[in-house]
Short mmCIF file of all heavy atoms in Angstrom, two decimals:
data_model
loop_
_atom_site.label_atom_id
_atom_site.label_comp_id
_atom_site.label_asym_id
_atom_site.label_seq_id
_atom_site.Cartn_x
_atom_site.Cartn_y
_atom_site.Cartn_z
N ASP G 24 112.86 56.24 55.52
CA ASP G 24 113.73 55.07 55.23
C ASP G 24 114.12 54.31 56.56
O ASP G 24 115.32 53.91 56.65
CB ASP G 24 114.93 55.46 54.43
CG ASP G 24 114.57 56.07 53.13
OD1 ASP G 24 113.63 55.61 52.44
OD2 ASP G 24 115.28 57.02 52.67
N GLY G 25 113.23 54.21 57.45
CA GLY G 25 113.50 53.42 58.63
C GLY G 25 114.20 54.18 59.74
O GLY G 25 114.46 53.62 60.81
N GLU G 26 114.54 55.47 59.54
CA GLU G 26 115.23 56.27 60.53
C GLU G 26 114.29 57.39 60.99
O GLU G 26 113.56 57.97 60.21
CB GLU G 26 116.51 56.87 59.99
CG GLU G 26 117.54 55.83 59.56
CD GLU G 26 118.19 55.14 60.74
OE1 GLU G 26 118.00 55.57 61.88
OE2 GLU G 26 118.95 54.14 60.51
N TRP G 27 114.40 57.75 62.30
CA TRP G 27 113.59 58.79 62.85
C TRP G 27 114.32 60.12 62.80
O TRP G 27 115.48 60.24 63.07
CB TRP G 27 113.16 58.46 64.29
CG TRP G 27 112.08 57.47 64.34
CD1 TRP G 27 112.17 56.13 64.51
CD2 TRP G 27 110.67 57.75 64.18
NE1 TRP G 27 110.93 55.53 64.52
CE2 TRP G 27 109.99 56.47 64.32
CE3 TRP G 27 109.92 58.89 63.97
CZ2 TRP G 27 108.59 56.38 64.20
CZ3 TRP G 27 108.56 58.78 63.85
CH2 TRP G 27 107.90 57.60 64.00
N TYR G 28 113.56 61.18 62.49
CA TYR G 28 114.07 62.52 62.35
C TYR G 28 113.23 63.49 63.16
O TYR G 28 112.05 63.29 63.38
CB TYR G 28 114.06 62.95 60.85
CG TYR G 28 115.06 62.18 60.02
CD1 TYR G 28 114.76 60.90 59.59
CD2 TYR G 28 116.25 62.76 59.61
CE1 TYR G 28 115.67 60.17 58.80
CE2 TYR G 28 117.13 62.09 58.81
CZ TYR G 28 116.88 60.79 58.41
OH TYR G 28 117.75 60.11 57.60
N VAL G 29 113.86 64.58 63.54
CA VAL G 29 113.25 65.67 64.26
C VAL G 29 113.05 66.83 63.33
O VAL G 29 113.99 67.21 62.61
CB VAL G 29 114.06 66.09 65.48
CG1 VAL G 29 113.36 67.21 66.25
CG2 VAL G 29 114.37 64.94 66.38
N MET G 30 111.86 67.45 63.35
CA MET G 30 111.65 68.66 62.54
C MET G 30 112.13 69.87 63.32
O MET G 30 111.74 70.09 64.49
CB MET G 30 110.19 68.85 62.16
CG MET G 30 110.01 69.94 61.13
SD MET G 30 108.28 70.32 60.70
CE MET G 30 107.85 71.34 62.13
N GLU G 31 113.02 70.64 62.73
CA GLU G 31 113.53 71.88 63.30
C GLU G 31 113.09 73.05 62.47
O GLU G 31 113.21 73.07 61.27
CB GLU G 31 115.05 71.81 63.38
CG GLU G 31 115.60 70.75 64.29
CD GLU G 31 115.56 71.15 65.76
OE1 GLU G 31 115.02 72.27 66.06
OE2 GLU G 31 116.00 70.41 66.60
N LYS G 32 112.60 74.09 63.12
CA LYS G 32 112.27 75.32 62.42
C LYS G 32 113.46 76.17 62.16
O LYS G 32 114.39 76.22 62.97
CB LYS G 32 111.24 76.11 63.24
CG LYS G 32 109.88 75.41 63.36
CD LYS G 32 108.89 76.31 64.16
CE LYS G 32 107.51 75.61 64.27
NZ LYS G 32 106.56 76.41 65.04
N SER G 33 113.47 76.82 61.01
CA SER G 33 114.62 77.63 60.67
C SER G 33 114.68 78.94 61.44
O SER G 33 113.70 79.31 62.16
CB SER G 33 114.57 77.94 59.17
OG SER G 33 114.51 76.75 58.41
N LEU G 34 115.77 79.65 61.36
CA LEU G 34 115.92 80.90 62.07
C LEU G 34 116.19 82.07 61.09
O LEU G 34 116.97 81.91 60.18
CB LEU G 34 117.12 80.81 63.07
CG LEU G 34 116.93 79.91 64.27
CD1 LEU G 34 118.30 79.74 64.98
CD2 LEU G 34 115.91 80.51 65.24
N THR G 35 115.55 83.18 61.37
CA THR G 35 115.86 84.41 60.71
C THR G 35 116.06 85.50 61.77
O THR G 35 115.64 85.31 62.92
CB THR G 35 114.75 84.82 59.69
OG1 THR G 35 113.50 84.92 60.40
CG2 THR G 35 114.64 83.82 58.56
N ALA G 36 116.60 86.65 61.38
CA ALA G 36 116.85 87.72 62.33
C ALA G 36 116.48 89.05 61.70
O ALA G 36 116.49 89.20 60.48
CB ALA G 36 118.31 87.72 62.77
N ASP G 37 116.14 89.99 62.55
CA ASP G 37 115.94 91.36 62.09
C ASP G 37 117.21 91.96 61.55
O ASP G 37 117.20 92.62 60.47
CB ASP G 37 115.39 92.24 63.20
CG ASP G 37 114.06 91.73 63.74
OD1 ASP G 37 113.13 91.58 63.02
OD2 ASP G 37 114.01 91.46 65.01
N VAL G 38 118.30 91.74 62.25
CA VAL G 38 119.60 92.31 61.87
C VAL G 38 120.66 91.25 62.09
O VAL G 38 120.67 90.49 63.05
CB VAL G 38 119.92 93.58 62.72
CG1 VAL G 38 121.33 94.11 62.40
CG2 VAL G 38 118.88 94.67 62.51
N ALA G 39 121.61 91.22 61.16
CA ALA G 39 122.80 90.32 61.28
C ALA G 39 124.02 91.22 61.42
O ALA G 39 124.21 92.21 60.67
CB ALA G 39 122.95 89.39 60.06
N LEU G 40 124.89 90.84 62.42
CA LEU G 40 126.15 91.49 62.61
C LEU G 40 127.27 90.48 62.29
O LEU G 40 127.34 89.45 62.98
CB LEU G 40 126.28 92.03 64.02
CG LEU G 40 125.20 92.96 64.52
CD1 LEU G 40 125.47 93.39 65.97
CD2 LEU G 40 124.97 94.14 63.62
N VAL G 41 128.11 90.76 61.34
CA VAL G 41 129.13 89.76 60.94
C VAL G 41 130.48 90.44 60.83
O VAL G 41 130.59 91.69 60.70
CB VAL G 41 128.77 89.07 59.60
CG1 VAL G 41 127.43 88.39 59.73
CG2 VAL G 41 128.79 90.01 58.43
N LYS G 42 131.52 89.61 60.80
CA LYS G 42 132.88 90.06 60.64
C LYS G 42 133.52 89.41 59.46
O LYS G 42 133.48 88.18 59.31
CB LYS G 42 133.67 89.73 61.91
CG LYS G 42 135.15 89.86 61.80
CD LYS G 42 135.63 91.28 61.67
CE LYS G 42 137.15 91.40 61.49
NZ LYS G 42 137.90 90.94 62.66
N ALA G 43 134.14 90.24 58.57
CA ALA G 43 134.82 89.72 57.39
C ALA G 43 136.24 90.27 57.35
O ALA G 43 136.53 91.28 57.99
CB ALA G 43 134.07 90.07 56.12
N TRP G 44 137.08 89.64 56.58
CA TRP G 44 138.48 90.08 56.40
C TRP G 44 138.50 91.25 55.42
O TRP G 44 139.06 92.30 55.64
CB TRP G 44 139.34 88.92 55.96
CG TRP G 44 140.66 89.31 55.44
CD1 TRP G 44 141.56 90.20 55.98
CD2 TRP G 44 141.30 88.81 54.22
NE1 TRP G 44 142.68 90.27 55.21
CE2 TRP G 44 142.55 89.44 54.16
CE3 TRP G 44 140.95 87.88 53.28
CZ2 TRP G 44 143.43 89.16 53.09
CZ3 TRP G 44 141.83 87.62 52.21
CH2 TRP G 44 143.06 88.27 52.15
N LYS G 45 137.87 91.03 54.24
CA LYS G 45 137.97 91.99 53.13
C LYS G 45 136.64 92.17 52.45
O LYS G 45 135.85 91.22 52.36
CB LYS G 45 139.05 91.53 52.15
CG LYS G 45 139.35 92.53 51.03
CD LYS G 45 140.36 91.96 50.04
CE LYS G 45 141.76 91.80 50.71
NZ LYS G 45 142.78 91.45 49.67
N ALA G 46 136.37 93.37 52.00
CA ALA G 46 135.13 93.66 51.23
C ALA G 46 135.47 94.67 50.13
O ALA G 46 136.38 95.44 50.24
CB ALA G 46 134.08 94.20 52.17
N ASP G 47 134.63 94.64 49.12
CA ASP G 47 134.66 95.73 48.16
C ASP G 47 133.45 96.65 48.50
O ASP G 47 132.66 96.34 49.36
CB ASP G 47 134.62 95.30 46.74
CG ASP G 47 133.35 94.55 46.31
OD1 ASP G 47 132.33 94.63 47.03
OD2 ASP G 47 133.37 93.89 45.25
N LYS G 48 133.39 97.79 47.80
CA LYS G 48 132.36 98.78 48.19
C LYS G 48 130.94 98.34 47.83
O LYS G 48 129.95 98.95 48.29
CB LYS G 48 132.68 100.08 47.55
CG LYS G 48 133.94 100.76 48.11
CD LYS G 48 134.19 102.12 47.56
CE LYS G 48 135.43 102.76 48.21
NZ LYS G 48 135.74 104.13 47.67
N ALA G 49 130.82 97.21 47.08
CA ALA G 49 129.49 96.68 46.78
C ALA G 49 129.03 95.74 47.89
O ALA G 49 127.91 95.23 47.82
CB ALA G 49 129.51 95.97 45.42
N GLY G 50 129.93 95.46 48.83
CA GLY G 50 129.58 94.58 49.96
C GLY G 50 129.91 93.11 49.76
O GLY G 50 129.60 92.28 50.58
N ASN G 51 130.63 92.77 48.68
CA ASN G 51 131.05 91.39 48.48
C ASN G 51 132.14 91.10 49.54
O ASN G 51 133.07 91.88 49.74
CB ASN G 51 131.61 91.20 47.08
CG ASN G 51 130.58 91.40 46.00
OD1 ASN G 51 129.56 90.73 46.00
ND2 ASN G 51 130.85 92.36 45.13
N LEU G 52 132.01 89.95 50.22
CA LEU G 52 132.84 89.68 51.36
C LEU G 52 133.79 88.45 51.18
O LEU G 52 133.39 87.48 50.57
CB LEU G 52 131.99 89.41 52.62
CG LEU G 52 131.06 90.51 53.08
CD1 LEU G 52 130.34 90.07 54.35
CD2 LEU G 52 131.72 91.83 53.22
N LEU G 53 134.98 88.61 51.74
CA LEU G 53 135.90 87.47 51.88
C LEU G 53 136.18 87.31 53.40
O LEU G 53 136.45 88.30 54.09
CB LEU G 53 137.22 87.76 51.20
CG LEU G 53 137.34 87.41 49.64
CD1 LEU G 53 136.50 88.41 48.87
CD2 LEU G 53 138.78 87.42 49.21
N PHE G 54 136.13 86.06 53.83
CA PHE G 54 136.47 85.75 55.24
C PHE G 54 137.82 85.06 55.26
O PHE G 54 138.23 84.40 54.34
CB PHE G 54 135.39 84.82 55.86
CG PHE G 54 134.02 85.43 55.77
CD1 PHE G 54 133.18 85.17 54.70
CD2 PHE G 54 133.56 86.31 56.76
CE1 PHE G 54 131.89 85.69 54.61
CE2 PHE G 54 132.29 86.86 56.69
CZ PHE G 54 131.47 86.54 55.62
N ARG G 55 138.54 85.20 56.37
CA ARG G 55 139.87 84.66 56.48
C ARG G 55 139.85 83.36 57.30
O ARG G 55 139.54 83.39 58.46
CB ARG G 55 140.79 85.67 57.16
CG ARG G 55 142.23 85.20 57.19
CD ARG G 55 143.19 86.38 57.45
NE ARG G 55 144.57 85.94 57.57
CZ ARG G 55 145.37 85.54 56.58
NH1 ARG G 55 144.90 85.63 55.33
NH2 ARG G 55 146.58 85.16 56.76
#
């Protein structure tokens, strides 16, 4: 539509390390 764009490749990882506020034992997460 008349505008120029750059193609960016997505990212994946072998392992993700994250921090959450609260979780249940099934792994459902809430962040604060």
Side-chain angles (χ1 to χ4, degrees):
D24 299 324
E26 298 287 350
W27 282 97
Y28 292 76
V29 181
M30 190 184 81
E31 294 282 1
K32 293 182 179 179
S33 304
L34 288 170
T35 56
D37 299 303
V38 177
L40 306 180
V41 303
K42 166 67 182 296
W44 167 45
K45 185 182 291 189
D47 64 16
K48 291 184 178 179
N51 297 302
L52 302 183
L53 275 72
F54 303 93
R55 185 162 176 77

